Amino acid sequence: MAVFNPSRKNVVLLVFIGMLALILFQLANLQLFSSKYKLAAEDQGIFRKVIYPDRGIVYDRNGKAILQNTTIYDLMVIPGKIKGTDTFALCNILGIDTAEFKKRIIAAILKNKSYRASVFEALLSNEKMAKLNESMFKFEPGYYLQQRSVRDYPFDVAGNILGYLSEVDSTTLKNPKYVGYNMGDYIGKVGLEKTYEKVLMGQRGIEFWKKDNKNRLTERWESGKYDTIPIAGQNMHTSLDIELQELGEKLMENKLGSIVAVDPKTGGILCMVSAPSFKPKLLTGAERRKHINELLTNPALPLLNRSVSASYSPGSTFKTLQALVGLHEGVITTQTQVSCGGAFYGCGSGKPMKCLDYGTFNMQSAITVSDNTYFATVMQRVINNPKYPNIDSSLANWDRYMYAFGLGHKLGVDVPSEKRGLIPTPEYYNKAHGKGNWNYCSFRSVSIGQGEVDVTPIQVANEMAYIANKGWYKIPHLVDSIEGGDKYDMLGKYKEKQQTIDIPDSIFEVVHSGMEGVVERGTGRRSKIPGITMCGKTGTVENYIRGVKQKNHSFFAAFAPRENPKIAIMCVVENSGQGAWFAGPIVSLMVEKYLKDSITEKSRLAKIEEISKLNLIPPRIYAELRRQDSARHSGDSAYLIAKGFIKIIKDTLELDDDEVDALDKLKKDKETVKKDTPKKDSGNSNLNNKPAAILPDEKKKQNITDTVKNN
Amino acid sequence: MYQRNPTLVKGVDWLMIWLYAALVVIGLLSIFSVEYNSNDSVVQSFLGFKKEYSKQLYFFGISLVIGIFILLTDSKFFTAMSNLGYLFGILLILATFVVGKEVGGSKSWIPLGFMNVQPVEVCKIFTSLALAKYLSLPETNFKTTRAQLIAAAIAFSPAILSVLQKEPGAAIVYFSFALAFYREGLPTLYLVIIFSLGILVIASILVSPNTLFIVFTIIAAILTYLNRRRIKRDKAILFMIAGVWLLCVGVQKIGVPLLFNKVLKPHQIVRILSTFGKDDYKFKSEERTAEINKEFAKLGTTKRNPVKK
């Protein structure tokens, strides 16, 4: 038998005391001195519940709310409390089967355990909400409705400029500009929602809640002593005329292109239509994900705001600016006459640049009939002006004018994703042709708004405002004022006049007269508005896709009335034809609506309907849609073939030979679709091969060659 | 005035009972503190059997009744039943190899339908009783190697089976019997070795491997210097110092990393690291690091429910 040994007992006791002392020491260290686990412990015991404020409301120029907040409900579930609930009735209301029901319950348990609430169905539609409200008592306490605030678009237009909210992504979280956002927060994704995020979002409030051992919120911590209340976002007043916007979107239905109208005196954007557009309400409801996927894959790019993000050759609308440069530089006078004998022969050999109206023209009449030869001559004189030592300096001087007119650089509009367009510089041509290897004839088509020059629709509208104001503009913008003040100084730049070159009014008068002539008796006479003197300019823009000529873009830019202009506007309808045919009439209806407040004349109302119904979507868009459709079916077929179902169909049905062949052909669908996928532009196309519109994802890799066009 | 009934409470270890009661109260208060809601009536919620602390209170009550019965049972009963109990415990552990249920990667649970039982835990009681009985036998002389080996076999057999069931954490607990062995006469050297190994493992966790290597080498060099005359006479001392140095380095460089990377389970590692206030042990593979991080995340709500600012 073992002998009891008191001294050894003491050693064992000492060991225990030592270990206890060690634990007590660490306990004291963690509790009293170290802050290492303090935050973790607080997080464990206290929950900081973020209270999101209502976002600011956006109004149009007439005080109508065009972007506001509304309440929508999520159906929440606590899986541990649903025993005995009428599951069948709930599934009926929600339109789901029991398999989907089980899937959602399992997902809820996996995500938040069975004793915590999870979202069972987010953003209930009005119909489901109405049905649920009637029978909610049957589903409690396992289910309950939780309200949340979402954005509402009372007019359901202007999706591209108002923008929408989306859950913040990891890239945004890394951006120091958005410090303070967390996963799960919502943020303005495009449009005004993005630009004015700081203004609209308001200030979040925080409620501190105690948590129990299962992470359930139990009660306010310290009776809410340290809570902060949310402060609603600031309301904003815009220059947008929502009725004009509605009309613009109606006129641009079934078309690709843009309409931009600005108030020349203030720079306030009256309407900004990008076609095709999207109904912003589609991106707030329960089926947001489905809709956004459809929009993202649509080859007509409805999510792209063409007004600021697509650039086009300006075509003949550019000639008005050449007139200003030529007259201000003194290389021509208002009485300088140039003859059109069928083409511009100023460059000697090579393909001549055609002109349509034979005859002799002065400045005013050349604008009215849009004479190519006249403006090719004007720019030739500007570039070859002996006042400048070489072509580099004369082209740089010409560029100076273009920048002053608001081209070749971002204007700074308050709509995101603005592109700068392109005004070719001496460096550009030096790089393309080699220094000393180019002259005016290398880029003569720029004189008539073709070739290398690219502009965005907003730039063209602004250009009209510049001409209307006789030499100045204010940066186009949507937001005029912010309730409670412009705390972030976002509007200051829109109040300043932009005037870097002082061109006399007399020069503008000549241009105005020429543009008035365009509408009264020239190329844009179809756009004439009874009782309104409008100055306009048509443009018919040649364009190419991968070397294949497309139907011309129809351009029209104008301002009205001539005296005391109130609206400067441009319209482009992609691949539709001449400027006078489509863009012109659209502009005339828009101007009439804005200046007369309404269109009442029957023939004009009929014109609205006629244009609205006109389908000018280019065939390539339909071809792409068919290709996408085919790709989807190809996937289905591949699946059926893989599973052997195609064979079963062949075995069980008596098919005609043609049909059997068709089924066999399905097997090759995937390969065919792959082959059909357009390959990236090789980059060897010349300037003639400019895309229909230069969209942000298309890189301009064309080689520089001369272009000769007829406008 | 209350007077103890000397016959009824005779032999009761009151210190142990108070310690037990204190631990239970601390545990109950800990659960109460995280689940308490000031809107609830304390008495009602304690008695309602809905809250965790209420359930624990009821379990405590049941344990108390069972405990009283155990205390009132004649100790001879335990002496008589200890070997049988131990055998039953071992058989239960062996049964898990056949009918065991795998929970969290270890096949050490027996499902009973309404609950799962982990025999290796139950066996701790039987092992204690069996060991106590063996050490109390008049013929046991713990100074003999035979007695030590038998005691070790009784104590560590369940531990070995536990390791085979991939539940090494439970096996570690059995090493606490070393203290009982020491009290009964195990040579001090064994205790020193066991504690040295423990300290070595802790040091390997707390101190960076290279620093510890340098420390071991310096200590070995100092010992060699101090014993230089004795080493001249007896080379075995040098070999002993070198052997201990090699053992320390081996444990630190190979043993502990092996234990942490291959043997112990993530939750066990996290418990060990947390005890020493460490949360940044450098594991060999990213997968292992991810496993441990996941386990750390389970401890606090911080990573599961990020605080919104």
Side-chain angles (χ1 to χ4, degrees):
Chain A
M1 186 179 175
V3 180
F4 181 66
N5 189 340
S7 66
R8 288 208 163 188
K9 183 195 165 193
N10 290 339
V11 172
V12 174
L13 202 63
L14 274 175
V15 169
F16 275 103
I17 289 170
M19 286 166 75
L20 192 67
L22 196 73
I23 291 168
L24 286 175
F25 171 77
Q26 177 70 337
L27 182 69
N29 175 40
L30 293 179
Q31 290 286 339
L32 303 174
F33 308 110
S34 166
S35 59
K36 191 176 174 186
Y37 295 107
K38 196 181 167 196
L39 276 178
E42 278 181 4
D43 281 350
Q44 193 136 358
I46 300 163
F47 180 72
R48 290 160 57 114
K49 187 177 180 184
V50 179
I51 310 297
Y52 292 92
D54 279 341
R55 284 178 79 88
I57 299 168
V58 179
Y59 299 95
D60 88 333
R61 64 187 300 106
N62 299 313
K64 293 174 185 165
I66 53 176
L67 178 54
Q68 58 187 23
N69 303 302
T70 189
T71 302
I72 200 162
Y73 289 85
D74 292 342
L75 180 65
M76 308 294 291
V77 63
I78 305 170
K81 292 185 180 175
I82 61 169
K83 210 173 177 182
T85 312
D86 188 350
T87 306
F88 186 68
L90 184 70
C91 288
N92 269 342
I93 292 172
L94 298 177
I96 57 172
D97 55 19
T98 44
E100 174 64 20
F101 173 85
K102 279 179 190 164
K103 197 175 136 191
R104 289 187 192 184
I105 292 292
I106 291 166
I109 293 170
L110 287 176
K111 193 177 176 190
N112 279 332
K113 305 274 170 68
S114 59
Y115 41 78
R116 283 208 299 270
S118 304
V119 177
F120 189 75
E121 179 151 327
L123 306 165
L124 292 164
S125 66
N126 289 341
E127 192 191 344
K128 285 179 186 174
M129 189 58 211
K131 285 182 188 170
L132 265 179
N133 253 341
E134 283 172 13
S135 28
M136 202 57 215
F137 66 94
K138 289 184 199 166
F139 312 124
E140 287 167 344
Y143 299 88
Y144 66 93
L145 295 166
Q146 182 170 283
Q147 71 173 46
R148 69 151 96 169
S149 177
V150 294
R151 291 304 243 175
D152 182 41
Y153 304 80
F155 293 88
D156 209 12
V157 291
N160 275 312
I161 47 177
L162 294 177
Y164 55 88
L165 300 181
S166 177
E167 215 168 299
V168 66
D169 55 36
S170 52
T171 319
T172 310
L173 285 177
K174 284 176 196 160
N175 187 342
K177 200 174 143 189
Y178 297 105
V179 69
Y181 285 85
N182 289 291
M183 286 307 276
D185 288 356
Y186 278 77
I187 192 169
K189 207 67 182 171
V190 293
L192 293 181
E193 290 275 33
K194 182 176 182 181
T195 309
Y196 292 96
E197 168 68 18
K198 277 192 286 190
V199 177
L200 291 169
M201 74 170 286
Q203 201 174 314
R204 296 170 197 171
I206 294 176
E207 283 178 2
F208 293 90
W209 286 78
K210 279 187 186 174
K211 283 193 293 187
D212 69 6
N213 56 327
K214 287 178 179 167
N215 261 346
R216 291 174 295 207
L217 304 186
T218 53
E219 59 181 320
R220 291 282 181 85
W221 185 57
E222 298 281 330
S223 307
K225 192 174 159 188
Y226 298 102
D227 293 358
T228 53
I229 53 165
I231 299 167
Q234 291 173 271
N235 300 337
M236 304 195 307
H237 294 267
T238 65
S239 54
L240 200 74
D241 186 319
I242 200 66
E243 288 184 13
L244 193 66
Q245 180 77 22
E246 279 182 312
L247 175 65
E249 292 198 9
K250 184 178 170 70
L251 290 168
M252 290 300 283
E253 276 172 15
N254 300 314
K255 296 164 193 74
L256 304 185
S258 171
I259 306 172
V260 181
V262 297
D263 180 339
K265 293 285 180 282
T266 64
I269 295 169
L270 303 172
C271 83
M272 183 184 269
V273 178
S274 177
S277 187
F278 60 92
K279 301 282 180 198
K281 275 184 181 172
L282 293 178
L283 300 183
T284 57
E287 298 198 316
R288 178 184 181 279
R289 192 182 292 269
K290 180 189 152 199
H291 291 141
I292 203 147
N293 282 343
E294 285 170 1
L295 292 169
L296 281 168
T297 53
N298 189 328
L301 307 177
L303 289 175
L304 176 80
N305 186 354
R306 286 174 157 81
S307 306
V308 292
S309 301
S311 56
Y312 307 84
S313 294
S316 293
T317 57
F318 201 56
K319 288 171 182 168
T320 51
L321 302 181
Q322 301 319 304
L324 293 176
V325 179
L327 289 169
H328 192 240
E329 281 292 297
V331 293
I332 52 162
T333 68
T334 54
Q335 296 313 314
T336 302
Q337 293 193 325
V338 174
S339 296
C340 165
F344 169 67
Y345 298 105
C347 284
S349 60
K351 199 177 172 187
M353 193 159 70
K354 288 180 186 171
C355 54
L356 289 179
D357 289 277
Y358 288 76
T360 302
F361 304 102
N362 63 13
M363 171 60 76
Q364 194 176 316
S365 57
I367 293 174
T368 300
V369 301
S370 195
D371 182 54
N372 285 350
T373 305
Y374 193 94
F375 291 98
T377 306
V378 170
M379 190 166 177
Q380 187 177 38
R381 291 186 187 181
V382 171
I383 298 299
N384 295 338
N385 190 347
K387 197 164 87 179
Y388 300 98
N390 53 42
I391 194 168
D392 280 24
S393 52
S394 62
L395 182 59
N397 180 54
W398 180 83
D399 287 341
R400 192 172 60 90
Y401 280 100
M402 296 304 121
Y403 296 147
F405 301 154
L407 307 180
H409 61 91
K410 291 181 185 178
L411 287 167
V413 294
D414 49 0
V415 181
S417 309
E418 187 193 357
K419 296 288 171 275
R420 64 177 68 243
L422 176 68
I423 293 297
T425 59
E427 293 74 29
Y428 181 90
Y429 290 120
N430 282 337
K431 200 176 170 185
H433 300 288
K435 197 166 172 62
N437 293 333
W438 56 278
N439 56 29
Y440 167 68
C441 293
S442 310
F443 59 91
R444 61 185 184 273
S445 54
V446 167
S447 65
I448 58 164
Q450 294 279 174
E452 295 85 344
V453 65
D454 272 323
V455 294
T456 61
I458 188 79
Q459 285 176 330
V460 178
N462 182 59
E463 175 191 311
M464 286 298 116
Y466 180 87
I467 296 171
N469 290 335
K470 296 178 183 169
W472 60 269
Y473 69 88
K474 285 184 179 175
I475 298 171
H477 57 277
L478 278 159
V479 175
D480 274 343
S481 64
I482 298 170
E483 281 180 20
D486 180 15
K487 292 174 191 168
Y488 305 100
D489 191 25
M490 298 179 86
L491 306 181
K493 63 178 179 179
Y494 300 127
K495 313 288 179 203
E496 294 164 11
K497 270 189 183 179
Q498 307 293 322
Q499 186 177 22
T500 49
I501 296 177
D502 195 13
I503 299 173
D505 284 3
S506 56
I507 291 178
F508 282 102
E509 286 298 342
V510 177
V511 175
H512 286 192
S513 297
M515 290 174 73
E516 187 183 334
V518 169
V519 179
E520 293 298 323
R521 57 189 175 278
T523 52
R525 53 190 174 278
R526 292 183 194 202
S527 316
K528 196 172 174 181
I529 311 165
I532 294 172
T533 313
M534 181 164 76
C535 301
K537 184 70 197 81
T538 53
T540 304
V541 180
E542 289 190 356
N543 60 93
Y544 297 78
I545 292 181
R546 291 183 203 94
V548 180
K549 190 176 186 313
Q550 307 291 306
K551 210 170 177 185
N552 294 334
H553 295 328
S554 174
F555 259 66
F556 194 81
F559 65 87
R562 178 173 174 177
E563 301 306 326
N564 192 20
K566 288 190 166 59
I567 181 170
I569 185 168
M570 80 78 64
C571 173
V572 50
V573 184
E574 289 179 23
N575 307 116
S576 58
Q578 290 193 17
W581 295 351
F582 303 105
I586 287 172
V587 163
S588 81
L589 288 165
M590 294 290 284
V591 170
E592 184 178 353
K593 165 72 184 161
Y594 182 68
L595 294 181
K596 293 185 174 176
D597 202 38
S598 60
I599 298 171
T600 50
E601 200 185 312
K602 275 187 181 174
S603 63
R604 299 290 280 171
L605 288 170
K607 190 78 183 166
I608 293 174
E609 295 305 319
E610 183 195 331
I611 292 175
S612 174
K613 284 173 188 160
L614 206 59
N615 190 340
L616 297 172
I617 302 267
R620 67 187 153 87
I621 300 293
Y622 290 109
E624 175 59 18
L625 280 169
R626 278 196 298 276
R627 192 195 67 78
Q628 285 184 0
D629 197 38
S630 156
R632 272 192 290 273
H633 284 289
S634 165
D636 297 344
S637 309
Y639 175 81
L640 290 172
I641 290 162
K643 292 283 176 189
F645 294 135
I646 293 288
K647 190 173 178 298
I648 293 167
I649 294 168
K650 282 168 79 174
D651 292 344
T652 53
L653 297 176
E654 285 186 16
L655 300 174
D656 292 341
D657 285 345
D658 285 354
E659 287 170 312
V660 174
D661 290 342
L663 280 171
D664 286 332
K665 211 179 163 191
L666 280 174
K667 293 178 183 175
K668 294 170 187 170
D669 269 4
K670 236 180 179 177
E671 286 73 17
T672 315
V673 169
K674 273 183 190 170
K675 279 177 196 168
D676 286 349
T677 307
K679 285 171 188 165
K680 280 190 178 176
D681 194 352
S682 64
N684 293 327
S685 54
N686 59 28
L687 270 183
N688 271 333
N689 304 342
K690 286 181 68 168
I694 300 191
L695 305 177
D697 55 342
E698 290 177 0
K699 291 179 182 171
K700 296 201 280 182
K701 291 178 179 175
Q702 298 103 329
N703 284 340
I704 310 295
T705 56
D706 194 7
T707 63
V708 180
K709 296 179 186 72
N710 183 20
N711 233 7
Chain B
M1 193 180 159
Y2 171 77
Q3 279 190 326
R4 281 180 183 172
N5 181 336
T7 53
L8 195 66
V9 296
K10 190 184 171 188
V12 171
D13 188 343
W14 285 104
L15 178 66
M16 192 190 75
I17 288 174
W18 285 120
L19 280 174
Y20 167 72
L23 283 172
V24 170
V25 170
I26 290 169
L28 269 177
L29 287 176
S30 300
I31 300 168
F32 178 68
S33 70
V34 291
E35 220 182 356
Y36 166 70
N37 186 344
S38 63
N39 297 325
D40 298 338
S41 154
V42 176
V43 178
Q44 271 182 6
S45 57
F46 253 112
L47 298 176
F49 203 69
K50 281 184 180 169
K51 303 274 184 183
E52 288 297 324
Y53 53 82
S54 169
K55 289 175 186 170
Q56 293 299 325
L57 185 71
Y58 279 99
F59 296 150
F60 175 52
I62 295 165
S63 311
L64 212 60
V65 174
I66 297 169
I68 288 167
F69 273 102
I70 291 171
L71 286 172
L72 292 176
T73 306
D74 191 332
S75 60
K76 284 174 191 159
F77 169 79
F78 299 110
T79 314
M81 297 299 289
S82 59
N83 287 350
L84 205 60
Y86 182 73
L87 189 67
F88 173 69
I90 293 287
L91 285 174
L92 268 185
I93 298 178
L94 290 172
T96 54
F97 288 103
V98 187
V99 296
K101 182 184 173 187
E102 193 168 312
V103 177
S106 82
K107 201 178 173 183
S108 61
W109 297 81
I110 293 180
L112 295 179
F114 61 98
M115 64 182 286
N116 295 326
V117 171
Q118 198 174 16
V120 73
E121 293 295 329
V122 179
C123 203
K124 282 174 192 169
I125 301 163
F126 298 132
T127 308
S128 307
L129 290 172
L131 201 59
K133 183 177 180 177
Y134 175 70
L135 293 175
S136 310
L137 289 174
E139 61 270 26
T140 303
N141 179 2
F142 202 68
K143 292 195 173 166
T144 63
T145 310
R146 183 174 175 272
Q148 287 167 8
L149 284 174
I150 291 171
I154 294 170
F156 300 127
S157 295
I160 292 162
L161 292 173
S162 176
V163 171
L164 293 175
Q165 287 173 353
K166 296 180 184 172
E167 191 57 59
I172 290 174
V173 178
Y174 282 85
F175 279 88
S176 59
F177 285 121
L179 281 172
F181 292 166
Y182 172 72
R183 207 191 70 161
E184 300 306 321
L186 186 79
T188 310
L189 183 66
Y190 286 91
L191 199 68
V192 171
I193 289 170
I194 289 170
F195 270 89
S196 301
L197 276 174
I199 291 166
L200 190 58
V201 170
I202 295 166
S204 303
I205 295 167
L206 297 178
V207 185
S208 80
N210 291 340
T211 311
L212 207 57
F213 176 81
I214 293 165
V215 170
F216 289 147
T217 311
I218 290 170
I219 291 171
I222 290 169
L223 285 175
T224 311
Y225 178 76
L226 293 177
N227 292 293
R228 60 190 184 280
R229 290 197 182 117
R230 290 172 70 191
I231 289 168
K232 271 185 188 172
R233 291 195 300 272
D234 186 358
K235 296 285 180 204
I237 295 170
L238 182 65
F239 284 117
M240 198 176 77
I241 292 171
V244 172
W245 175 84
L246 202 64
L247 179 76
C248 290
V249 172
V251 168
Q252 175 237 336
K253 287 269 187 191
I254 302 164
V256 173
L258 192 73
L259 201 68
F260 272 49
N261 285 295
K262 301 280 179 197
V263 181
L264 292 176
K265 295 214 173 81
H267 72 270
Q268 291 163 343
I269 293 170
V270 166
R271 277 180 208 165
I272 294 169
L273 291 178
S274 300
T275 306
F276 300 105
K278 287 279 284 183
D279 50 18
D280 57 347
Y281 188 81
K282 204 172 177 182
F283 294 95
K284 279 186 179 164
S285 71
E286 282 182 14
E287 290 81 17
R288 189 70 168 171
T289 311
E291 276 175 14
I292 305 297
N293 285 340
K294 204 173 155 189
E295 202 60 39
F296 265 117
K298 279 188 196 169
L299 282 181
T301 52
T302 320
K303 288 175 186 171
R304 278 189 300 171
N305 300 308
V307 175
K308 290 184 177 179
K309 287 167 187 158

